[in-house]
Amino acid sequence: MFVVELFIPLEKPDGTAVPVNVFERIKTELTERFGGVTAHLQSPAEGAWKPEAEDVVHDRIAIFEVMVEDVDTAWWRDYRHRLEVELDQHRILARLHQVTVL
């Protein structure tokens, strides 16, 4: 089994909030395609990174997790890219972990 995690910012680069319906749509899309999703929305995580020779950037994020048996990396790359365009993001982090279900 694998877990795919998507780290979705709560704000766009200009500081405007990502509309709540976007998060609801993502939950629906992932549930319909994969049969379920875990969305960490109530207590947003905080991220920080430092682009080369720039100040540290901070953001608040929601995390979506999907468990899958097989990974269609092309689909995930396309989905991540569509979200990046929609949310005006340079990059949305998507991670893949192999897991053992106990």
Side-chain angles (χ1 to χ4, degrees):
M1 293 291 290
F2 297 91
V3 173
V4 179
E5 295 174 311
L6 291 173
F7 293 74
I8 309 295
L10 299 182
E11 293 92 19
K12 293 184 178 184
D14 67 3
T16 61
V18 172
V20 173
N21 66 324
V22 171
F23 297 105
E24 292 302 318
R25 190 198 76 231
I26 292 170
K27 284 192 320 188
T28 299
E29 289 171 348
L30 295 175
T31 299
E32 288 178 3
R33 181 164 179 99
F34 299 104
V37 63
T38 300
H40 302 272
L41 301 172
Q42 296 301 319
S43 298
E46 293 185 20
W49 71 96
K50 186 173 182 355
E52 292 182 32
E54 296 181 32
D55 292 334
V56 174
V57 177
H58 297 271
D59 61 2
R60 296 179 322 125
I61 56 175
I63 302 171
F64 292 81
E65 298 178 334
V66 177
M67 288 185 59
V68 295
E69 290 187 27
D70 296 304
V71 180
D72 181 347
T73 54
W75 184 90
W76 283 104
R77 283 187 193 115
D78 180 64
Y79 190 69
R80 186 196 73 217
H81 178 71
R82 286 186 281 135
L83 291 172
E84 288 167 349
V85 170
E86 177 182 3
L87 302 176
D88 193 26
Q89 296 294 310
H90 174 71
R91 177 69 102 191
I92 287 177
L93 177 61
R95 294 194 305 201
L96 173 67
H97 302 276
Q98 189 168 10
V99 297
T100 302
V101 178
L102 302 175

